[in-house]
Amino acid sequence: MTQSFSYLISLMTWSFSRLRAYEDCGYSFFLRYIEEEEEDKHFYAEYGGLMHKVLERFYSGAINKEQALSMFMTGFVLDVPNEVKPSISEKYYQQGKNFLLNLATPQEKVIGIEEKLSFEMSGYPFVGYIDLLLEDENGLIIQDHKSHILQRRTKKQKEEFDSFAKQLYLYSVGIEQKYGRLPYKIRFNCFRDGSMPEEMFDESKYEETKQWALDTIGRIEQESKWEPALEW
């Protein structure tokens, strides 16, 4: 496949997920964002999406903790595809229940919930959604809900954390453009184990992420083969 789709690419609004999709597999990016094929539903994505919906309604005050638990239990049965081993399905179900049983409102002031950020970088339009934007006496905190369990004990785990953190550093561009300041902390709400790993905002990672985004767009603009990853 050597056809160029430069015109379609020039019309794109960029996001972290779009850039990461290309980085993971050029052919997958082509199918999703050039051919616009619909993705099949699968267990892990629908599970994460369900919990995001539950937390959005809880943090907005639309439902209480008991209603949040009920919404999750019902949605898990009705909306999450039963395509994994029963032991995995049961594990995720119980982890979600345990998390919601201990659910509490944030100690910090809530500034935004699923807040849409439209911003530009070097003339390229971007869009992103912040799960939870908080503020305390020290400044803004970006919090992202994750079904993935993040740890930083080993080098590999630290690299994985940094990989996920890249999304929050990219969307900090939108935070800075909208609020006139950067967050001072990024945080993950890992709802399967209840942990909340965080780090102080790192200016060097911020600059590296912006350059990564622009470099990736440049590669996409020059792409013509759209080759699949080896595991495709």
Side-chain angles (χ1 to χ4, degrees):
M1 184 185 297
T2 58
Q3 186 174 357
S4 172
F5 296 89
S6 57
Y7 178 68
L8 289 176
I9 293 169
S10 71
L11 299 177
M12 287 184 176
T13 296
W14 300 96
S15 66
F16 176 80
S17 58
R18 191 170 291 225
L19 298 175
R20 177 54 60 83
Y22 176 78
E23 192 173 62
D24 289 343
C25 177
Y27 186 57
S28 177
F29 176 94
F30 172 81
L31 292 178
R32 183 173 180 185
Y33 297 110
I34 303 295
E35 292 290 304
E36 297 185 338
E37 288 190 3
E38 290 189 12
E39 286 190 305
D40 294 332
K41 291 185 176 182
H42 63 85
F43 175 86
Y44 299 103
E46 296 304 314
Y47 176 86
L50 170 62
M51 188 63 83
H52 273 76
K53 292 175 184 176
V54 171
L55 293 176
E56 178 184 2
R57 289 181 57 78
F58 173 77
Y59 289 130
S60 68
I63 57 176
N64 60 31
K65 184 168 73 172
E66 289 73 24
Q67 291 168 323
L69 178 59
S70 177
M71 180 179 174
F72 169 76
M73 294 170 66
T74 301
F76 190 90
V77 174
L78 297 179
D79 300 326
V80 178
N82 186 19
E83 61 180 12
V84 296
K85 294 180 180 179
S87 59
I88 294 176
S89 179
E90 178 64 19
K91 177 181 179 181
Y92 274 63
Y93 179 69
Q94 292 299 332
Q95 287 173 329
K97 278 183 60 179
N98 292 338
F99 170 77
L100 292 172
L101 285 169
N102 296 289
L103 189 60
T105 55
Q107 296 180 346
E108 303 89 355
K109 179 182 178 182
V110 176
I111 302 297
I113 302 167
E114 289 293 328
E115 181 170 354
K116 181 180 179 179
L117 294 173
S118 298
F119 58 99
E120 286 193 0
M121 190 163 56
S122 297
Y124 293 105
F126 281 80
V127 67
Y129 293 86
I130 303 296
D131 291 340
L132 204 57
L133 184 62
L134 306 168
E135 185 177 31
D136 62 15
E137 65 275 8
N138 296 310
L140 297 173
I141 303 168
I142 300 180
Q143 181 168 305
D144 191 55
H145 308 317
K146 276 281 179 284
S147 61
H148 200 87
I149 296 175
L150 295 175
Q151 298 177 337
R152 285 178 287 179
R153 296 192 184 98
T154 67
K155 180 181 178 181
K156 184 177 180 180
Q157 289 172 342
K158 291 176 182 177
E159 290 174 348
E160 183 179 52
F161 180 94
D162 288 343
S163 177
F164 280 102
K166 191 178 289 185
Q167 179 178 5
L168 303 189
Y169 281 109
L170 178 61
Y171 292 162
S172 292
V173 178
I175 293 292
E176 185 174 28
Q177 291 182 13
K178 180 172 183 177
Y179 293 94
R181 52 188 169 138
L182 289 166
Y184 84 96
K185 183 185 291 185
I186 65 171
R187 176 190 295 160
F188 293 101
N189 175 21
C190 300
F191 49 76
R192 281 179 49 225
D193 71 346
S195 64
M196 300 188 78
E198 60 185 28
E199 74 174 18
M200 303 302 288
F201 192 87
D202 188 320
E203 290 275 0
S204 64
K205 290 182 180 180
Y206 180 54
E207 295 301 325
E208 288 170 5
T209 298
K210 289 192 289 183
Q211 190 60 54
W212 164 81
L214 295 175
D215 288 347
T216 304
I217 292 174
R219 289 165 56 202
I220 294 170
E221 290 176 330
Q222 297 299 315
E223 183 63 81
S224 60
K225 296 182 179 180
W226 309 106
E227 294 180 345
L230 293 176
E231 62 271 18
W232 179 265

